Amino acid sequence: MNELSVSNYMPCYSFDKATGEMKLGQYDRAQFMRELAEAEEEYRKMPVGNGTLTDQEIWELAQKYDPRDMTQEEYETFISHLVDKNVLSAKETYDIGLERVTLRPGSFRQCGFSVVPNLPSQELSVRTLKDANGNAIYWADLMLKWCNRGSEDGRIKAGALQKVSNILRRMDSAKNGVVF
């Protein structure tokens, strides 16, 4: 191999789905790219959640959570509940404010410049639920304003945040005594 050639074997990390462990090693780059393409295709085929919550379920959530004063842990439990009820799918939870950050397969290819929304400066600094003082309604609405709907991922994120915002508003109404 001369100085200008690139080996097909490169050091990288691999995630073993069976054991849930990351492994460092040398892997065949061509095989890695095939697996990445398969993961991206699998992601595209994943459905979005289509379940709904009854008024009773909204009322029960309102008794458990205050949408205007949630901790990160409560928010994550709330989102997990929505996934369990098929209101959201795992595909929709990649980037809606969970503490963990998950990269969508293929998302690195969609990087580029984004337009900063025309928001007041105090809203531009809100990046987390904690920055919003635990007000999940305010935070979800801000994140929705930030969404770039020009890509499929952006539209999925916007749809998920819209569902979350609507449910949080219904919970807030139930908490304030609005009868269903």
Side-chain angles (χ1 to χ4, degrees):
M1 182 180 338
N2 66 38
E3 291 178 37
L4 298 177
S5 67
V6 176
S7 170
N8 198 35
Y9 290 91
M10 304 177 73
C12 66
Y13 283 95
S14 167
F15 180 73
D16 185 335
K17 292 179 185 179
T19 64
E21 295 177 357
M22 296 290 289
K23 295 187 283 187
L24 177 62
Q26 281 200 339
Y27 299 94
D28 181 336
R29 184 177 186 285
Q31 176 64 26
F32 176 77
M33 295 308 289
R34 281 191 297 278
E35 289 175 6
L36 183 61
E38 289 169 9
E40 188 174 349
E41 184 61 27
E42 185 179 311
Y43 167 78
R44 269 199 290 273
K45 291 178 182 176
M46 289 173 67
V48 295
N50 60 5
T52 58
L53 297 178
T54 65
D55 291 341
Q56 179 64 33
E57 289 171 314
I58 293 290
W59 185 84
E60 289 169 5
L61 286 171
Q63 301 312 302
K64 189 172 184 177
Y65 305 108
D66 181 352
R68 295 187 183 274
D69 187 21
M70 291 178 92
T71 65
Q72 184 67 39
E73 185 177 332
E74 288 172 329
Y75 179 78
E76 296 204 15
T77 304
F78 166 70
I79 295 298
S80 179
H81 179 79
L82 297 183
V83 171
D84 291 345
K85 293 291 187 174
N86 194 34
V87 173
L88 296 175
S89 69
K91 178 179 187 171
E92 294 171 288
T93 64
Y94 280 113
D95 190 23
I96 61 169
L98 301 181
E99 195 166 42
R100 65 171 164 66
V101 174
T102 306
L103 296 177
R104 289 181 175 91
S107 64
F108 67 91
R109 295 182 198 159
Q110 298 171 1
C111 293
F113 295 103
S114 61
V115 177
V116 175
N118 187 15
L119 299 173
S121 61
Q122 69 271 18
E123 291 182 354
L124 289 173
S125 64
V126 176
R127 300 294 183 169
T128 66
L129 182 58
K130 186 176 181 179
D131 293 342
N133 296 318
N135 187 335
I137 296 170
Y138 173 69
W139 182 85
D141 288 346
L142 275 179
M143 298 317 306
L144 192 54
K145 289 178 186 178
W146 273 97
C147 279
N148 174 3
R149 292 168 182 84
S151 69
E152 180 183 357
D153 287 345
R155 288 187 293 276
I156 290 168
K157 178 180 178 178
L161 286 167
Q162 188 65 63
K163 289 180 201 180
V164 169
S165 178
N166 291 345
I167 291 168
L168 290 167
R169 288 181 188 290
R170 288 178 64 198
M171 288 166 54
D172 193 48
S173 295
K175 201 163 212 39
N176 291 319
V178 174
V179 180
F180 294 104

